[in-house]
Amino acid sequence: MSSGILVFIEHRDGVVSKTSWEAIAAAQSLGSQLQQQVSAVILGSDLDAMAQQIAAYELVKVISANNSKLASYTPDGYTDALEKVVRQLDPQLVIMSHTYLVRDFGPKVAARFGKSLISDCIRAQVADGSITFTRRIFLGKLDADVVSDGAAPVFATFQSGAYRPDQAAKGSGSPVEKQEVEVGEIRMTPEAPFQEVKQAVDLSKAEIIVAIGRGIKSKENIALAEKLAEALGGDIAASRPICDAEWLPIDRQIGSSGQTVAPKLYIALGISGAIQHLVGMKNAGTIVAINKDPEAPIFDIADYGIVGDLFEAVPVLTEEIKKIKGLS
Amino acid sequence: MKIIVLMKQVASKDAILRINKEGTWIEEGDLSFEVNESDGYALEEALRVREKLSGEVIVVSMGPQRAKSVIKDALARGADRAIHVVGDNLAHLTPYAAASALAEAIRAEQPDLIMTGLQSDDYGYAQTGVIIAELLGMPHATIVIEVDASGDKLRVKRELESGWYQWYSMPTPALLTIQSGISQIRYATLKGIMAAKKKEIKEVTPSAEIVSRLSHQQLRRVYLPQKTKQTQFLGNGDAKAGAVALAEKLHVEARIF
Ligand SMILES: Cc1cc2nc3c(=O)[nH]c(=O)nc-3n(C[C@H](O)[C@H](O)[C@H](O)COP(=O)(O)OP(=O)(O)OC[C@H]3O[C@@H](n4cnc5c(N)ncnc54)[C@H](O)[C@@H]3O)c2cc1C
Ligand SMILES: Nc1ncnc2c1ncn2[C@@H]1O[C@H](COP(=O)(O)O)[C@@H](O)[C@H]1O
């Protein structure tokens, strides 16, 4: 009979990823509500130090699954290894963080069990021994409650930020179970990860950022936002679609695949507020959103909001700021 | 090189979403639809590979009859032919069931390359492509932003988190999930639109078994997210008045300048 919760630990360059502590927090929270024990699994080839670090958390055990073929991540290697561990442990529930790496191999593991992941959840509630997962759909505009049919194993991934890493509870030292895990043929050959040449624009120290999204409609209209940025003495930035369209260079992009910023003031013009954008700017001091859709998710993190047409609001805002500053 | 591109029709980004009476999905009656964003980039990349290496680009879309508009647009932009997996509720399958139905429709084509978007903008599962690769026994790479298919192995650049990248090589046949922005998307020309009228669109229906057996996750309820932050809304619907009030707030309350 399947039982327990297995939490997947991700690491890079010998360091456990921050999202793994979030995943432990998620698994512990569900574990205590469901009265299920939580184990952790880490995959790789040189894991002893990390396995010890994980063992400090409140877990029944840490499975350290080793194979030299797991020295660098590949979806083939990780899928084979995790499948083996899941079959052997036979848990009710497998918890992972919805990172790029898990997006790459998680669905493949679940498919080996004839199912898909309940992916990118933002919370989970337990009632009468069963879990209701909540996922954001339509790029954050709506929430959806999802239940599984309960047949083990259930695979669920959580969005970064759904649980706090410091919620993960430490214990009195859990046993580490080191094993050699079998891995089949690896078809893909990874090269070393790299960063593009140093970006020309570093927005991480900017005090004021005026960011534009698809609501700006055309490249020509960017001048409008630039005038506002100029009046404020700030920098211009953008959501991904603006950089995808090459209206602004990629070093102006804010979000999970762009820069992370924390200015005093962030003004979002015509940006809907998808999670991949929010992770790059949610720590700004004051957040302003101008959007014609009152339900746009960006308003959920905005201190000040204007529901309306940015083409009406922005010129007036620029003039008013100049007036107050005595510039006009 | 024979390339399959998966394209899904989703609600337009600008559409106002209204939740249906039952609270189980959105009201689709008067909704406008468009192609899923990253799928448009997948098609563009497939067309570019074909232009370099010659071959064929086949568009596959699963959904109700209205999905034909996505297919026709893809044919007008240069795809050679299409397969439409038709059915009213097929857009609501779990990723495993959707992948099973799509894999079934693709298998006999024996493509060298399959390209999908990295995730759908409605359900946002980010899984269908990876599961198809598993079902068809192909290697895959996700979040791809550059493709080099000219060598005897496929070489692709993947986006990792926070500004990191990585190249992978793998043998074909393979499946790639494509990230938005990989290249600039072409528009359909009038000539392309005319030519598309003569291109084949094959309709297939998935086996009932695939559609019915796999409901291991069920959507129970759809609702507006609860707001966690107290936003001060300014202007009461009047954007200009809002702007005047905002300048004042930023000056006096937030003390930005
Ligand atoms: C793996 C991955 C990584 C990603 N990385 C990033 C990233 O780093 N950064 C990023 O930004 N995105 C990223 N994305 C994309 C992200 O999911 C969204 O698609 C994107 O952020 C949407 O950009 P947007 O808000 O500009 O466009 P949309 O979502 O189209 O929103 C446009 C908004 O403008 C409003 N609007 C339209 N006209 C007007 C007007 N006249 N006045 C006022 N408002 C108006 C609309 O109401 C709408 O809310 C990533 C996605 C994935 C899957
Ligand atoms: N009904 C469908 N028809 C065609 N392609 C689809 C369909 N559903 C998913 N896909 C493809 O799979 C990708 C990922 O979808 P998802 O797993 O729902 O996030 C999409 O970008 C499409 O390329």
Side-chain angles (χ1 to χ4, degrees), chain A residues 187-209:
Chain A
R187 295 165 294 180
M188 51 291 281
T189 318
E191 297 171 30
F194 64 96
Q195 282 182 298
E196 298 289 15
V197 276
K198 185 87 191 101
Q199 302 195 315
V201 189
D202 179 8
L203 293 171
S204 64
K205 296 195 178 60
E207 296 252 298
I208 294 176
I209 290 177

Side-chain angles (χ1 to χ4, degrees), chain A residues 103-104 108 112 116-117 135 138 143 145 147 189 191 194 196 240 244 299-300 302-305, chain B residues 119 122 127 134 140 142 155 157 165-167 169 184 216 218 220-221 223 228 231-232 234 253:
Chain A
R103 293 168 64 115
D104 194 56
K108 191 170 163 75
R112 296 259 170 104
S116 18
L117 310 168
R135 314 178 57 242
F138 290 102
D143 278 358
D145 284 350
V147 294
T189 318
E191 297 171 30
F194 64 96
E196 298 289 15
R240 178 163 190 132
D244 283 350
F299 286 126
D300 194 27
D303 299 282
Y304 301 106
Chain B
Q119 83 182 48
D122 50 5
Q127 298 182 55
E134 171 67 14
H140 76 267
T142 55
R155 196 165 169 264
K157 185 173 164 189
Y165 300 93
Q166 184 168 31
W167 284 93
S169 23
Q184 295 304 302
H216 53 271
Q218 272 170 27
R220 281 285 161 81
R221 191 165 77 91
Y223 49 100
T228 49
T231 306
Q232 286 192 45
L234 307 171
E253 211 171 78

Side-chain angles (χ1 to χ4, degrees), chain A residues 10 12 72-76 79 98-101 103-108 110-112 114-120 123 134-150 187-196 208 214 217 232 240-241 243-246 250 256-258 260 264-265 267 276 282 284-288 290 292-297 299-310 312-314 316-317 320-321 324-325, chain B residues 10-19 25-26 31 37 41 94-97 118-128 130-131 133-135 137-143 145-146 153 155 157-171 179-184 214-244 246-251 253-257:
Chain A
E10 185 172 332
R12 212 174 107 188
S72 354
Y73 165 79
T74 58
D76 278 355
T79 301
H98 190 73
T99 59
Y100 281 34
L101 183 136
R103 293 168 64 115
D104 194 56
F105 89 103
K108 191 170 163 75
R112 296 259 170 104
K115 40 176 73 176
S116 18
L117 310 168
I118 302 180
S119 56
D120 208 10
R123 59 177 177 267
T134 304
R135 314 178 57 242
R136 287 263 140 102
I137 55 176
F138 290 102
L139 295 170
K141 292 194 195 102
L142 297 175
D143 278 358
D145 284 350
V146 178
V147 294
S148 80
D149 65 3
R187 295 165 294 180
M188 51 291 281
T189 318
E191 297 171 30
F194 64 96
Q195 282 182 298
E196 298 289 15
I208 294 176
R214 210 193 312 256
K217 297 284 186 310
L232 283 163
R240 178 163 190 132
C243 303
D244 283 350
E246 294 177 358
I250 182 131
S256 61
S257 46
T260 301
K264 226 163 54 176
L265 174 66
I267 302 187
Q276 295 88 0
K282 61 172 193 264
T286 299
I287 297 173
V288 171
I290 303 180
K292 64 178 187 190
D293 176 5
E295 306 294 349
F299 286 126
D300 194 27
I301 63 156
D303 299 282
Y304 301 106
I306 296 176
V307 176
D309 188 346
L310 75 91
E312 285 179 28
V314 173
V316 176
L317 180 60
E320 287 298 309
I321 288 166
I324 296 171
K325 281 187 153 184
Chain B
V10 296
S12 300
K13 285 213 188 49
D14 276 352
I16 302 292
L17 305 178
R18 286 183 299 116
I19 294 165
W25 190 239
I26 54 166
L31 209 58
E37 179 163 27
Y41 285 99
T94 65
Y96 188 82
L118 85 167
Q119 83 182 48
S120 55
D121 292 336
D122 50 5
Y123 280 102
Y125 289 125
Q127 298 182 55
T128 306
V130 176
I131 301 173
E134 171 67 14
L135 295 174
M138 294 180 184
H140 76 267
T142 55
I143 322 193
I145 54 156
E146 207 174 317
K153 274 202 170 181
R155 196 165 169 264
K157 185 173 164 189
R158 288 191 59 218
E159 183 180 296
L160 308 177
E161 270 128 347
S162 45
W164 286 82
Y165 300 93
Q166 184 168 31
W167 284 93
Y168 269 80
S169 23
M170 65 192 82
Q179 167 68 298
S180 299
I182 187 168
S183 50
Q184 295 304 302
L214 304 152
S215 55
H216 53 271
Q217 54 176 292
Q218 272 170 27
L219 199 161
R220 281 285 161 81
R221 191 165 77 91
V222 167
Y223 49 100
L224 280 173
Q226 247 175 22
K227 302 268 181 241
T228 49
K229 192 149 179 178
Q230 288 295 329
T231 306
Q232 286 192 45
F233 283 102
L234 307 171
N236 212 351
D238 178 343
K240 287 181 182 156
V244 175
L246 177 60
E248 183 69 17
K249 291 273 184 193
L250 291 179
H251 176 53
E253 211 171 78
R255 296 173 177 278
I256 302 289
F257 54 87

